[in-house]
Each structure stands twice: as C-alpha cells, then as structure tokens.
Amino acid sequence: MPSRKSRHKMTSMDPNQAKFQALRLQRFYMAQLNYLITYTVICAAWLADQYQASAPMLAVHIGLGVATQLGFYWLIRSGRNLRYRDPSLTSGQIIVATLLLTYLLAYLGSFRGSLIMVYPIILMFGVFQLSRREFLSHSLLALTGYGSLIAYDYIYNPGTQDLPLTLLQWFVLACILGWLSMFCSYIRELRERLQRRHYTLQAHQETLKGMMGQLQNLATTDALTGLANRRYFIDETRRRMALLGPRQQLGLALIDLDHFKRINDLYGHAVGDEVLQRFAQLARDKLRSDDVIARFGGEEFIILLSNCDLETLHQCVERIRQAFAKLQFSGLPEDYSCTLSAGLSVVRPEDDLEERINQADQALYQAKQGGRNRCTTHQAAYA
Ligand SMILES: Nc1nc2c(ncn2[C@@H]2O[C@H](COP(=O)(O)OP(=O)(O)OP(=O)(O)O)[C@@H](O)[C@H]2O)c(=O)[nH]1
C-alpha cells in the first residue's frame, strides 16, 4: 500500500508523467514475477538437494532480492526515479538481477546449466529501453559472470564440472545474447520510427484541431463586429431555454440602427462600418458577461439577457440607446447623433423562439413607426 505522501506525489504529477509512472510500475511488477519464478525454482532445487548451501544462505539470497526490489519500488513510488536519465531504471534493474542470478548460480552445481536461460529473460526487459551499446555491455556482464563461475570451479573445485559441457553452455548463452542485442537494435529502430510517425501524426492533429477551431469561429462569429452571428444566437438561445426553470424567462431585444442607409450614402461605407463596430463595442461593454449579443443582419442586432424581467430588459436596452446617441464618430459631423430603435419581448421555456423573435420584430416596427430612437415592448410580453 503506497504511503499518503507517495500517493500525493503520484497524483500531483502532470497526467502524462503519471501515466508513464504507472507503466513503469507495471513493468516493475512483471520483473517481480520473474524473481518469483526464479526463487520458486531455487527452492525446488534446494528441496531436490541441488542447491549447495544451507537454508539460512538461501534465505539470505532471497532476502537480498527482496531488499533490492523494495529499493527500486521505493524509488519509483516516491518519484525519485524521475531524477535519472532513464526513469525506468532499466540498467540498474538488469545489473542487480544479473549479479543476483550469478550469485545464486554459484551454488547450483550441475543444475546451473538449466538456469542460464534466466540471463536472456532478464535482458529482455531492456529490449525497448537500452541502446545497442548498453545492451551489449549488460550481455558482457552476464557472460563474464557466468564465465567467472566456470573459471572459479575449474581452478578451485577441479573435477566438479564437465568443462566441455559448461563451456558449450557459455557459448550457447553468448550466441543467444548476441542475437538478442541484434534483435534489440531492430526493435529500437522500429520503435523510433513509430515514435517519429506518432509525433508527425500528433502535429497534424494539432493543426487540424486549430483549423477546426478557426472554422468553428468563422461559422459562429461576425467578421466585421466580432459579435456572434445569427446561427450562434439561435443555437445558444435554444440551449438556454432548455435550462430554464418553469417560472424563469429570458429578455429578448431586437435592435436596428436608425437611418443607417443615410450614413452609408452620405458619408461612405467605411463610416457605416465604423458605426456598426462602435455600436457592437458599446453594447458589449454595457452587457454582463453571461448575456448574449449577436449581429442578426446588416444593421440589426439581437440581445438575450439571462434571467430578466421586462423592466430590467427595458432599462438595459434604454441604457444602450442613450449611450449610443451620445457617441461621436470620426467620419461624422460633430453634432450628428446616431440613434437606434428596439423591439422587446421575453422568452419562456415553453415558447416558440421564432414566434418570440417575430414579436420583437413587430415591436421594433412599431418603434420605427412611432418616430424611431425608442424601445417598444410587444404586448404579448406582458402576458
Ligand atoms: N457599412 C455597412 N452597411 C451595411 C452593412 N450591412 C448592411 N448595411 C447597410 O445597411 C443599410 C440598411 O438600410 P435600411 O434597411 O434601409 O434601413 P435604415 O436606413 O437603417 O432605415 P431604418 O431601419 O428604417 O431606420 C443598407 O444600406 C445596407 O447596405 C455593413 O456591413 N456595413
């Protein structure tokens, strides 16, 4: 069970790093299976009188394995492995396992040959991580270790081993490790190629995501004013209507700039554009961040106020109307006052949105008919 502190360390890592740490732990557990199998075989060898050391010595061997593995486990769990060039600690694990195995084999006598295959199994853990040089040097360590056992017995225990047979076993081990190091470089190259392809695909994906974002923006934003467009407004209003409670309502205002055609005709399209942009900016400034304003058509804008009664809606649009009338524009005479007319309505959860927008439009028409520069509320909104 990991300690609270180490668990905190694992969870406070960035998600990518935590994912890799989890993979490293998985690999660690797999290595433990290898240890478990080896020690089970050794115990069986001890029971079959093939292990030439006392029971306490066997316990020391197993204890050494457990202690070193606990050390590696602590390094990974505490995140200290991240300080190393290879946070998987592959080289360290392989060196420790190779030395422990050699130490064990020293006590196995003629049964030793059956267990030399554990060397390649240990080295298999480095297939994905180690460079060819590292792999070769670890193979060399295994061959030197096993070779030293043969030499030791030859010198100090003459006659206890079949020398040609043990040399043949050493040779077989050398061939297998040589083949494994070639296989290792092949796998490594393949892995690097796949990684490069993965990065390229990731880069393409990022570009596509960016383009999708831009397209989404283009599809929902009005280029001249930077406001949302009609499509976005309708979708967003429907979404908000669906979230409304039974007695809640949204304020809806359709705004049209007065005699806008005249501005275009008398002072030019660029001045008309400036008026539209300045109106957009002003309305944005006067509204709250969760209100919605969109350009509904040429010089027509639409506003949606969340959770709002008629009085608040009227006050809000009036504030915009009065502020707009006071704005001055570089392309217009100083005493020129731009005005707007607005038609107001409300939207309730059960309403047909199109119908409510039509009502706001009718109210806007009345405002225009009434002399412009005013806000008019549709009768149905009082119901
Ligand atoms: N500069 C500019 N003008 C635009 C844009 N979109 C629409 N218009 C113009 O807005 C004008 C709208 O004129 P009308 O619909 O006759 O309305 P109006 O002159 O405002 O008259 P009322 O609405 O009755 O007060 C047209 O001349 C359009 O060409 C735009 O993006 N930029």
Side-chain angles (χ1 to χ4, degrees), residues 105-122:
L105 292 184
Y107 290 89
L108 279 186
S110 56
F111 181 57
R112 190 183 288 164
S114 323
L115 274 191
I116 56 168
M117 283 310 131
V118 181
Y119 281 121
I121 295 175
I122 293 172

Side-chain angles (χ1 to χ4, degrees), residues 256-257 259-261 264 269 273 295 298-299 368 372:
D256 188 282
L257 307 193
H259 297 305
F260 189 69
K261 186 174 181 318
N264 271 339
H269 229 256
D273 283 353
R295 189 173 177 195
E299 37 34 303
K368 293 273 183 188
R372 295 183 172 79

Side-chain angles (χ1 to χ4, degrees), residues 190-321:
L190 205 70
R191 193 174 173 233
E192 278 169 4
R193 220 183 306 155
L194 279 174
Q195 222 158 30
R196 277 199 297 275
R197 211 171 289 175
H198 174 73
Y199 288 141
T200 319
L201 273 175
Q202 236 176 7
H204 285 324
Q205 219 172 14
E206 289 303 312
T207 319
L208 269 177
K209 246 193 238 169
M211 282 164 76
M212 291 273 285
Q214 278 176 353
L215 274 177
Q216 173 85 358
N217 232 13
L218 279 175
T220 55
T221 313
D222 168 55
L224 179 70
T225 58
L227 295 180
N229 63 14
R230 177 194 284 252
R231 184 201 300 193
Y232 175 86
F233 181 85
I234 300 284
D235 290 349
E236 181 60 17
T237 308
R238 286 198 203 288
R239 194 183 69 80
R240 291 184 184 214
M241 280 171 75
L243 298 175
L244 282 181
R247 276 197 220 125
Q248 288 181 312
Q249 60 181 22
L250 303 163
L252 184 76
L254 201 59
I255 295 176
D256 188 282
L257 307 193
D258 295 331
H259 297 305
F260 189 69
K261 186 174 181 318
R262 205 187 286 166
I263 298 175
N264 271 339
D265 293 347
L266 292 177
Y267 305 100
H269 229 256
V271 178
D273 283 353
E274 189 203 342
V275 174
L276 292 172
Q277 286 169 327
R278 294 279 303 280
F279 168 77
Q281 188 54 51
L282 174 107
R284 245 193 314 235
D285 293 345
K286 297 276 174 208
L287 294 172
R288 288 172 307 185
S289 57
D290 63 332
D291 296 332
V292 186
I293 170 154
R295 189 173 177 195
F296 214 54
E299 37 34 303
E300 209 169 52
F301 298 85
I302 193 159
I303 289 175
L304 187 78
L305 301 190
S306 27
N307 249 334
C308 147
D309 55 28
L310 266 181
E311 197 188 327
T312 318
L313 173 67
H314 194 269
Q315 279 170 2
C316 178
V317 181
E318 262 298 304
R319 258 203 315 273
I320 295 174
R321 186 187 68 77

Side-chain angles (χ1 to χ4, degrees), residues 160-178:
T160 55
Q161 64 180 343
D162 181 347
L163 190 61
L165 179 70
T166 46
L167 286 178
L168 184 64
Q169 283 168 343
W170 185 90
F171 178 69
V172 171
L173 181 64
C175 288
I176 290 175
L177 293 184

Side-chain angles (χ1 to χ4, degrees), residues 34-78:
N34 198 17
Y35 272 94
L36 200 70
I37 292 170
T38 309
Y39 286 130
T40 310
V41 172
I42 299 297
C43 287
W46 182 70
L47 286 173
D49 251 359
Q50 294 294 324
Y51 184 76
Q52 300 160 352
S54 58
M57 197 63 188
L58 173 64
V60 168
H61 277 169
I62 296 178
L64 265 176
V66 172
T68 51
Q69 290 317 295
L70 279 176
F72 281 114
Y73 181 74
W74 173 76
L75 279 174
I76 299 175
R77 267 296 181 185
S78 63

